[in-house]
Amino acid sequence: MRSQTYIFVIAPIAVTALLASLPYLLPPSDRTIVWPAYLHATVAVFSATGPYVAHLVGRNVSTYTALMALAVNAVCLIVLFAGIYRAYGLAECPFPDTALAIYFSTVTWTTLGYGDFSPIDSLRLLSAGQAVIGYLFLGLIVGLLIEAATQARQ
């Protein structure tokens, strides 16, 4: 039973964390070809939702474990998107530093959207997708928090 928890929780966290580090370790050689960034983000998002899906289908993943794994994966995804923005640039800043990229990624994830920075034209769909993923993750996290609170009261 415990091995299933590791497979459905630890493996997705490890994969998401590895994918989050790749844009920092291996920046693109050609910044005009953006499809690898879209593919990279898609694989990471599917990996990051693994613990929730395992919890949902009853694979012996507790609510608390799924909640913590989802929160860790959310941070990894914010860092991953920041790495993509750092590697490809922003419209106002072709070579943003890591702090600026994380700022933009967090503002996009939370759909706050100050408007002080915007993605390059070829990454607009990616940032819109990041905003939708932020909505979904917030909903999943709130749902798991309510489930954990309900279980604690019983």
Side-chain angles (χ1 to χ4, degrees), residues 10 12 23 46 56 61 64 74 102 104 110-111 121 130 141 143:
I10 303 300
F46 279 115
L56 195 63
V61 176
Y64 180 76
I102 288 176
F104 178 73
T110 60
T111 67
D121 289 343
Q130 182 188 8
I141 289 171

Side-chain angles (χ1 to χ4, degrees), residues 19-94:
L19 288 171
S21 66
L22 285 180
Y24 298 94
L25 300 174
L26 303 168
S29 56
D30 184 357
R31 292 170 39 149
T32 62
I33 301 173
V34 297
W35 69 264
Y38 284 89
L39 179 65
H40 190 118
T42 302
V43 171
V45 167
F46 279 115
S47 171
T49 58
Y52 180 75
V53 171
H55 171 71
L56 195 63
V57 297
R59 292 289 184 174
N60 295 326
V61 176
S62 71
T63 303
Y64 180 76
T65 302
L67 179 63
M68 290 299 110
L70 215 56
V72 168
N73 279 327
V75 171
C76 287
L77 286 175
I78 289 171
V79 170
L80 168 107
F81 281 102
I84 291 171
Y85 299 133
R86 182 178 166 265
Y88 288 93
L90 297 171
E92 297 80 5
C93 184

Side-chain angles (χ1 to χ4, degrees), residues 122-147:
S122 54
L123 290 181
R124 285 185 179 190
L125 185 60
L126 184 81
S127 19
Q130 182 188 8
V132 170
I133 292 163
Y135 270 135
L136 294 174
F137 264 73
L138 179 62
L140 295 176
I141 289 171
V142 168
L144 285 172
L145 279 170
I146 290 170
E147 183 178 338

Side-chain angles (χ1 to χ4, degrees), residues 145-154:
L145 279 170
I146 290 170
E147 183 178 338
T150 304
Q151 288 174 355
R153 293 185 123 205
Q154 295 176 356

Side-chain angles (χ1 to χ4, degrees), residues 103-119:
Y103 162 78
F104 178 73
S105 181
T106 303
V107 167
T108 303
W109 181 272
T110 60
T111 67
L112 188 58
Y114 285 130
D116 49 355
F117 294 100
S118 60

